[in-house]
Amino acid sequence: MRKLVIYNSLSRTREEFVPLSPPHVGLYVCGPTVYGDPHLGHARPAITFDLLFRYLKHLGYKVRYVRNITDVGHLENDADSGNDKIAKKARLEQIEPMEVVQYYTNRYHEAMNRLNVLPPSIEPHASGHIIEQISMVEKIIEAGYAYESNGSVYFDVEKYDKNHNYGKLSGRKTEDLLSNTRELEGQHEKRKPFDFAIWKKADTSHIMHWPSQWSEGFPGWHLECSAMSAKYLGERFDIHGGGMDLLFPHHECEIAQSVAATGHETVKYWMHNNMITVNGQKMGKSLGNFINLEDFFSGANELLTSAYSPMTVRFFILQAHYRSTLDFSNEALQAAEKGLKRLMAGVRTLAKISPGKKTSFEPDKIINPAFEAMDDDLNSPIAIACLFDGVRIINSLSDNKESINEEDLLRFRSFYQTLVFDILGLMDEDIQENTQAAGKLVDLVLSIRNDAKSKKDFATSDKIRDELKALGIVIKDGKDGVAWDWE
Ligand code: ZN
């Protein structure tokens, strides 16, 4: 098996990936909080960890990929106070919180589908794991790292820090946190302002709450990932991923909770994708530069000069290394669109190349560096550059300026199939579009045949049937009309 090197955000070094119990790999990635339309910010972590999921499978691992749905406890401003994001939306739209959850979960799935992001192996909801979260709060209290205050339970950061070093992922120190914390509502319940809630007592306005020994309430946002990763991947697992924006406080608190509850580190490798900026600016609802994925696909957003297909968005993201920032601009997307068309045209040309007696170039000089780049912390931009080097050769093959023997041709085709479609997860949208258009043409021709038949012009009707058959389209006359299929 080839050696995969990944950057571990916890050790801040590149490390060889060695799973805890090969060939099995446990992968946990923080999924969306489902209270709004899926946007560009959702696409990057989804595509980054889809690439990792696909590549690990390509390397022969059996991956259990868990990506959660946050549907409770994520309060505004990621803080311990304020409204629950989902409950707020539910109140605004006068529907049940679970209707909000279902609606936006469906929207998220649709968008991910169009981006050809594979579904995870397990997609647990926070609201479906309240019992597991309550039991984790109990364990943390038992271990002495949490305390109850007025029906809520808070994590004792200072005590934890003495024994386990709080802040090792983000590099933040508790002293810095102390000077940076503002006075917020509910603060008087905490021993120290940087303590965070793992169970919150629900006030009267709070519509999502569950009974517990402490109060009628709800779990803190960070707790779900500690509880659900332990449930589905065990108390020690391989990779935890997410966007860099989750590094603090979410992942830092997750580590503290899991270590407090189990007494040991639970995650071997932490991986974080970098953020997307829009014309050099951070993306955010308040900045008015939030672009929904559906807007990309339809072009209905004033920041967009045209619509961009799902594969253009995917290719645009894959053209940057996942740990680099990626700046959205129309120019960058147009370049991605052009590049993707050139790549797909190359793949189609390769399918039509006939083998010659000998190979005039070295296919390994394209193939090996591409996989070496993928082994090097998923360096997709370099792997894509190798694919373009290959496209130049494919065009020369097509012009008979280069030649390739049968064995190398099969190997070259399989390389493109594997890297472009299986690993990078791209699809040839031109073929899809052409197939759809061809389908509509067949329907049109069949309606003309129907008219001919109803006028008893059987000569024309039979001619259409025979000529379609010659094109590989079979039609079947049935009681309920005409059905057709590609042969
Ligand atoms: Zn999480």
Side-chain angles (χ1 to χ4, degrees):
M1 193 177 271
R2 287 202 311 274
K3 224 162 84 172
L4 171 66
V5 169
I6 52 176
Y7 181 83
N8 189 346
S9 319
L10 189 61
S11 65
R12 295 187 186 78
T13 53
R14 295 151 52 81
E15 292 178 25
E16 187 187 337
F17 175 65
V18 182
L20 292 163
S21 46
H24 300 279
V25 171
L27 168 64
Y28 188 93
V29 174
C30 292
T33 303
V34 279
Y35 71 107
D37 289 324
H39 54 75
L40 192 56
H42 287 113
R44 195 164 193 200
I47 289 171
T48 297
F49 293 102
D50 185 53
L51 179 68
L52 176 66
F53 183 35
R54 287 168 181 268
Y55 197 58
L56 288 169
K57 288 200 292 185
H58 165 75
L59 291 177
Y61 294 116
K62 296 188 186 325
V63 188
R64 184 181 292 169
Y65 177 16
V66 182
R67 187 186 65 205
N68 67 306
I69 294 284
T70 295
D71 58 358
V72 69
H74 194 170
L75 306 187
E76 287 175 306
N77 308 318
D78 298 346
D80 272 349
S81 59
N83 281 308
D84 180 294
K85 292 184 177 188
I86 285 149
K88 186 181 175 186
K89 188 86 182 180
R91 204 170 287 125
L92 217 65
E93 299 193 355
Q94 297 191 312
I95 53 176
E96 274 292 311
M98 278 303 139
E99 285 183 273
V100 174
V101 168
Q102 192 63 57
Y103 179 77
Y104 288 109
T105 302
N106 292 348
R107 295 285 288 257
Y108 180 74
H109 286 160
E110 279 161 27
M112 292 305 116
N113 236 337
R114 295 194 68 182
L115 292 169
N116 204 23
V117 167
L118 297 174
S121 330
I122 305 176
E123 193 172 47
H125 285 234
S127 66
H129 296 76
I130 302 295
I131 291 169
E132 289 83 352
Q133 294 182 76
I134 288 177
S135 117
M136 194 158 223
V137 174
E138 285 168 352
K139 279 187 196 155
I140 299 172
I141 293 176
E142 266 168 44
Y145 292 114
Y147 55 89
E148 190 197 335
S149 175
N150 191 29
S152 292
V153 180
Y154 292 97
F155 193 91
D156 190 338
V157 171
E158 198 168 46
K159 182 160 180 205
Y160 175 83
D161 187 42
K162 277 195 189 115
N163 300 329
H164 296 289
N165 179 19
Y166 178 82
K168 60 184 143 197
L169 181 68
S170 61
R172 297 188 198 210
K173 300 257 171 280
T174 47
E175 307 89 74
D176 305 338
L177 293 175
L178 211 52
S179 55
N180 289 336
T181 320
R182 283 168 298 138
E183 270 301 309
L184 291 168
E185 165 218 334
Q187 210 76 286
H188 57 278
E189 292 178 357
K190 302 181 186 179
R191 289 183 191 157
K192 281 283 178 349
F194 48 56
D195 290 351
F196 57 91
I198 51 180
W199 185 264
K200 269 293 264 185
K201 180 179 170 181
D203 58 37
T204 44
S205 69
H206 215 93
I207 42 181
M208 292 199 284
H209 46 80
W210 290 264
S212 79
Q213 53 270 59
W214 311 288
S215 63
E216 184 75 22
F218 55 93
W221 169 41
H222 316 303
L223 194 63
E224 61 177 277
C225 293
S226 287
M228 297 192 296
S229 61
K231 174 163 175 140
Y232 296 109
L233 298 174
E235 284 190 356
R236 291 180 203 269
F237 63 95
D238 298 295
I239 306 173
H240 193 311
M244 208 116 101
D245 53 334
L246 295 177
L247 209 131
F248 188 88
H250 186 55
H251 290 161
E252 196 70 81
C253 294
E254 251 191 82
I255 293 179
Q257 292 162 164
S258 298
V259 171
T262 63
H264 56 77
E265 287 288 343
T266 58
V267 177
K268 195 167 177 195
Y269 307 92
W270 281 87
M271 289 176 78
H272 291 93
N273 65 275
N274 215 320
M275 298 290 98
I276 293 187
T277 52
V278 176
N279 297 318
Q281 257 197 330
K282 206 182 152 203
M283 198 169 55
K285 264 204 170 118
S286 53
L287 295 165
N289 61 0
F290 230 57
I291 310 172
N292 292 338
L293 287 170
E294 267 170 38
D295 291 355
F296 273 100
F297 308 154
S298 67
N301 186 302
E302 55 188 22
L303 286 168
L304 303 173
T305 51
S306 70
Y308 299 101
S309 74
M311 283 307 108
T312 299
V313 174
R314 185 172 177 113
F315 191 62
F316 165 68
I317 289 175
L318 290 172
Q319 271 186 312
H321 189 262
Y322 75 91
R323 287 196 291 118
S324 314
T325 53
L326 174 59
D327 190 47
F328 156 83
S329 68
N330 283 288
E331 295 73 36
L333 270 160
Q334 281 153 13
E337 190 174 42
K338 253 171 95 179
L340 182 61
K341 278 197 184 303
R342 199 153 60 83
L343 175 61
M344 289 303 170
V347 173
R348 287 197 296 270
T349 305
L350 183 61
K352 290 185 223 145
I353 300 282
S354 326
K357 282 209 172 69
K358 62 175 189 58
T359 306
S360 61
F361 66 101
E362 287 180 64
D364 284 338
K365 284 203 167 158
I366 305 286
I367 298 171
N368 293 345
F371 285 112
E372 280 159 19
M374 289 304 297
D375 289 338
D376 180 16
D377 196 23
L378 306 179
N379 202 329
S380 52
I382 296 212
I384 289 170
C386 295
L387 288 170
F388 280 120
D389 289 344
V391 166
R392 272 191 289 277
I393 293 176
I394 291 168
N395 292 336
S396 299
L397 285 167
S398 167
D399 296 341
N400 293 317
K401 287 178 188 149
E402 300 271 7
S403 64
I404 190 164
N405 70 27
E406 188 159 11
E407 191 193 333
D408 284 337
L409 180 61
L410 292 177
R411 212 154 57 89
F412 218 45
R413 278 184 189 150
S414 134
F415 161 66
Y416 272 84
Q417 176 65 41
T418 304
L419 187 53
V420 174
F421 301 106
D422 302 348
I423 295 173
L424 298 176
L426 297 166
M427 296 189 292
D428 190 341
E429 288 170 323
D430 288 341
I431 286 190
Q432 288 176 328
E433 266 173 38
N434 292 346
T435 310
Q436 273 172 8
K440 284 182 189 152
L441 270 177
V442 175
D443 289 339
L444 176 70
V445 170
L446 286 181
S447 79
I448 295 170
R449 177 173 175 261
N450 230 4
D451 290 347
K453 261 174 110 177
S454 64
K455 287 174 197 151
K456 306 223 179 298
D457 177 3
F458 296 114
T460 304
S461 134
D462 288 351
K463 181 172 188 279
I464 289 174
R465 186 196 58 210
D466 296 344
E467 304 234 329
L468 282 176
K469 189 167 186 340
L471 290 171
I473 295 156
V474 218
I475 55 176
K476 286 180 201 123
D477 291 299
K479 274 182 228 151
D480 309 321
V482 191
W484 68 271
D485 208 347
W486 306 101
E487 206 166 30

